[in-house]
Amino acid sequence: MSLLAVRSLYAGYGQGDVLHGIDVDVAAGGVTAVLGSNGAGKTTLLRAVTGMVDHRGEVTLQGRRIDKTPTEDIARLGVAHVPEGRGTFVHLTTEENLRLGAYSRRDRPGVAADFDRVYQYFPRLAERRAQQAGTLSGGEQQMLAIGRGLMLRPKLVVMDEPSFGLAPLVVEEIYRILRDVSAAERMGILLVEQNAVIALQLADHACVLETGRVVMSGTAQEVRADESIRRAYLGL
């Protein structure tokens, strides 16, 4: 059974659908990359999974239907959303931003332990725990956004363009950490990424969207090997 299973998903804004019958799966401890050009519906897919836009179809988390569940309750079930643009609260400190990620938790000893856990994954955040988040570099703010999501102790993280605007070495570091976290904690990741090359290095499965429809789905190796995908999205 998939950790996340999306079946026949339609979603959009107002009267029009952006997504047309999408099927996507994420395994526990697995990474599924969602690729496609701008306007393909990638961000809408993440928003539908987290209950942020009107949608029809079936979305299950560990076999439980969540497609009629409010966004805040989906978070309590263990789905963390790391949005495009990072969503950093710039006037709060690094540690205060992380604490917001655990807002729905009541296990104070567990929350305290997870501060240490996040700081182990991201030592630079530990060094800057008392620093105002708005003064962090772009890469550090992206680390903070991921760390804030991890404070939820999620089963699934949905991530939107984590490499955007970052230097290649910073992107490599962040993706290495994501790989370690996913493997160590059996955490699933649904990843929207414009940088198809690095996304397919991290992912074990991938799907390609075009105008709101899946035009290819398979293992990352299969998607990487497809000649049309290589030309259109990988520049190879």
Side-chain angles (χ1 to χ4, degrees), residues 46-229:
L46 299 191
R47 290 175 177 168
V49 167
T50 53
M52 297 172 66
V53 297
D54 292 336
H55 58 280
R56 311 183 306 281
E58 184 174 303
V59 182
T60 62
L61 182 72
Q62 292 183 313
R64 172 178 176 170
R65 290 282 296 266
I66 63 171
D67 44 87
K68 304 298 184 185
T69 304
T71 298
E72 59 271 21
D73 292 335
I74 291 174
R76 291 188 182 97
L77 291 171
V79 179
H81 186 193
V82 181
E84 183 180 10
R86 298 156 196 150
T88 303
F89 295 90
V90 296
H91 298 299
L92 301 181
T93 67
T94 294
E95 189 145 309
E96 287 167 341
N97 268 270
L98 291 176
R99 192 172 299 280
L100 286 174
Y103 76 96
S104 64
R105 294 176 58 181
R106 300 292 179 264
D107 55 327
R108 291 186 179 181
V111 170
D114 282 340
F115 273 110
D116 293 335
R117 163 176 158 267
V118 169
Y119 288 146
Q120 286 177 355
Y121 284 128
F122 299 105
R124 272 190 274 179
L125 297 184
E127 296 169 5
R128 292 156 174 75
R129 66 180 71 191
Q131 187 171 324
Q132 195 174 55
T135 66
L136 302 178
S137 70
E140 290 163 350
Q141 288 192 32
Q142 185 63 70
M143 293 176 187
L144 178 56
I146 297 168
R148 190 174 63 234
L150 294 180
M151 289 297 296
L152 186 65
R153 271 282 172 183
K155 302 178 181 74
L156 173 73
V157 175
V158 298
M159 305 187 67
D160 198 353
E161 303 284 6
S163 74
F164 182 75
L166 302 182
L169 287 177
V170 176
V171 174
E172 288 180 14
E173 180 182 4
I174 288 173
Y175 270 66
R176 176 186 56 78
I177 294 168
L178 287 174
R179 188 179 298 110
D180 292 345
V181 174
S182 177
E185 305 191 13
R186 298 288 294 161
M187 181 185 77
I189 299 176
L190 180 60
L191 171 70
V192 161
E193 181 56 84
Q194 197 71 29
N195 186 335
V197 173
I198 194 165
L200 290 172
Q201 290 173 355
L202 174 68
D204 41 41
H205 284 80
C207 70
V208 181
L209 297 189
E210 191 171 291
T211 60
R213 293 175 172 84
V214 176
V215 294
M216 183 176 184
S217 181
T219 67
Q221 184 175 3
E222 289 169 343
V223 172
R224 192 186 300 114
D226 185 273
E227 186 176 349
S228 62
I229 299 300

